Amino acid sequence: MNLVKKKIYIFISIVCAVFSAYSNAIGMSAFRIYLDQDNPQTDFIIYNHNTLPQECQLKLRHYAFDDAGKMTEYKGEEPLANSAESWVRFSPRKFTLTPQNNQTVKFVMRRKARSEAAEYRSYVSVDCGVEIKSDDDSKKEMISIAPKLVHNLPIIVRTGKLEATLNISNVNIKDGNVYFRLNRTGNRSVYGDVQLIEKSTGDVISEQKTLSLYTETSHSDFHLNLRNKNPADLILRFTENKAFGGTLIAEKDL
């Protein structure tokens, strides 16, 4: 192997090793943050599973959704009407996460007098990373890379009593899958899991977890694999996650 190829090989090997090592370096206690008048504050924990310190920064970002649930990043100068930014405060926003340690970030809902019942949403961007320096045997070359995996977690703030309904429609069985539509109405989002369940045993055949339909979205399409089961023996069920402000259940026979 000539010297140039050897150097390229060493560089690629280092990059692959670093990204493999740090892709799972950061762990989090939740992938959604929820606040309302009964739950005005919550703790969110970030873990460093690696052996090097992580420099972390948290900030709010915003995304918009269309009627069918398509997500796009919002880049406008004025905040979105449903932004949660003025409704929440959190700290710390910037910190060093030492190896094999964790950091608790506290989120608190701001109190506002005479506020109307509504749902607000932003995204907490969790940006953590380290700088790795590696030298070759001659110690004449240095490689500096900063692998990062940015997580964007929705933060939902609800003021007052809000309602939503959900139903399942457009069921179609094709190529070993069941295709269907979740339909949402009301003034709040829904968040939960959809499962394909065997009627006789109650066993879960397949599922999609942590699905969200936000207030801009009236419907969204999904599919699940039948796992070679007879469709007549199965039922579709969507169950809202009670920990995030909902108790809806929607069912549909295939």
Side-chain angles (χ1 to χ4, degrees):
M1 184 182 294
N2 63 41
L3 183 60
V4 173
K5 288 184 177 179
K6 184 177 180 180
K7 288 181 178 180
I8 293 173
Y9 175 79
I10 292 171
F11 175 78
I12 293 174
S13 298
I14 291 172
V15 171
C16 291
V18 169
F19 272 89
S20 175
Y22 290 98
S23 61
N24 295 313
I26 292 297
M28 295 176 289
S29 60
F31 291 94
R32 186 179 177 90
I33 297 165
Y34 175 75
L35 300 170
D36 63 18
Q37 292 173 335
D38 296 324
N39 271 311
Q41 64 180 49
T42 190
D43 288 343
F44 172 67
I45 305 172
I46 303 173
Y47 305 92
N48 182 5
H49 298 307
N50 214 277
T51 57
L52 290 173
Q54 298 266 341
E55 299 297 328
C56 295
Q57 183 174 352
L58 275 64
K59 63 181 180 180
L60 293 184
R61 302 177 70 176
H62 295 91
Y63 293 86
F65 289 81
D66 66 12
D67 188 57
K70 182 180 178 181
M71 178 180 179
T72 55
E73 185 175 4
Y74 177 73
K75 297 181 179 179
E77 295 183 1
E78 295 297 323
L80 287 167
N82 66 341
S83 168
E85 189 165 4
S86 66
W87 284 94
V88 64
R89 62 180 187 271
F90 60 96
S91 65
R93 297 188 177 216
K94 193 173 184 180
F95 51 87
T96 299
L97 193 51
T98 54
Q100 304 298 319
N101 212 333
N102 62 75
Q103 173 69 53
T104 297
V105 180
K106 185 175 291 293
F107 288 82
V108 180
M109 177 180 175
R110 297 179 185 273
R111 298 288 189 178
K112 295 187 180 183
R114 296 182 297 277
S115 59
E116 295 183 1
E119 178 175 293
Y120 300 90
R121 184 186 72 250
S122 295
Y123 285 78
V124 181
S125 175
V126 181
D127 186 348
C128 295
V130 297
E131 185 175 75
I132 305 300
K133 292 185 178 180
S134 177
D135 55 9
D136 62 13
D137 293 337
S138 65
K139 297 186 179 180
K140 293 180 180 179
E141 294 183 6
M142 301 295 291
I143 299 172
S144 178
I145 55 179
K148 288 190 176 185
L149 184 61
V150 178
H151 300 271
N152 292 305
L153 289 76
I155 176 167
I156 306 296
V157 178
R158 290 179 186 163
T159 61
K161 185 174 177 59
L162 303 174
E163 301 290 343
T165 64
L166 188 80
N167 66 71
I168 301 170
S169 69
N170 295 29
V171 176
N172 182 33
I173 296 169
K174 182 180 179 182
D175 299 329
N177 295 294
V178 55
Y179 296 83
F180 59 95
R181 174 169 291 182
L182 294 178
N183 304 285
R184 187 208 62 85
T185 62
N187 55 4
R188 70 168 178 83
S189 61
V190 298
Y191 174 77
D193 309 327
V194 64
Q195 299 173 321
L196 197 55
I197 299 170
E198 194 163 29
K199 295 178 185 177
S200 60
T201 64
D203 292 342
V204 176
I205 305 305
S206 55
E207 64 182 345
Q208 286 192 47
K209 302 180 74 68
T210 64
L211 300 180
S212 299
L213 274 75
Y214 293 112
T215 51
E216 305 97 315
T217 299
S218 69
H219 65 277
S220 194
D221 295 323
F222 304 94
H223 72 273
L224 293 173
N225 192 277
L226 292 170
R227 309 293 183 197
N228 297 318
K229 297 290 184 177
N230 184 349
D233 298 332
L234 305 175
I235 187 172
L236 272 171
R237 178 183 297 156
F238 177 90
T239 305
E240 252 193 314
N241 191 317
K242 294 181 180 179
F244 298 101
T247 58
L248 294 177
I249 296 176
E251 293 184 342
K252 186 82 170 180
D253 287 327
L254 299 192

